[in-house]
Amino acid sequence: MNGPAPRRATVLYAISATCGAIGALLWVRSQTSTPPSLHSSAYGSFLAADAYTSSAWRVWSPAVPEGRLGLYLIAVGLVLAVAARLFAVRRD
């Protein structure tokens, strides 16, 4: 009979889902990195007031682009999901 998944498998699934979600968000961010273009004077003054904050925030080394890091995290998430599945099947 299939019982509930062991705690370790549940933790691996959670880490896998987190890696996959963060990886997907980073990949999408790298694909849509063009800034919005609104020609409103209110929006322009908002950008001028916000000019002192840096929008070039990096989560990784400049040697690895965010898109590639996102793909790496998605791959890690898939590997962890497979490992969690094999661990759960092995424990049954």
Side-chain angles (χ1 to χ4, degrees), residues 46-57:
F46 170 76
L47 286 180
D50 198 35
Y52 297 106
T53 60
S54 174
S55 62
W57 180 72

Side-chain angles (χ1 to χ4, degrees), residues 21-84:
I22 292 172
L25 288 173
L26 283 174
W27 183 79
V28 167
R29 178 181 166 177
S30 74
Q31 299 300 312
T32 60
S33 63
T34 57
S37 61
L38 295 175
H39 299 292
S40 158
S41 62
Y43 185 71
S45 63
F46 170 76
L47 286 180
D50 198 35
Y52 297 106
T53 60
S54 174
S55 62
W57 180 72
R58 306 254 340 148
V59 296
W60 194 253
S61 163
V64 179
E66 288 180 354
R68 186 176 296 166
L69 175 63
L71 292 176
Y72 289 161
L73 285 173
I74 291 171
V76 167
L78 289 173
V79 168
L80 285 175
V82 169

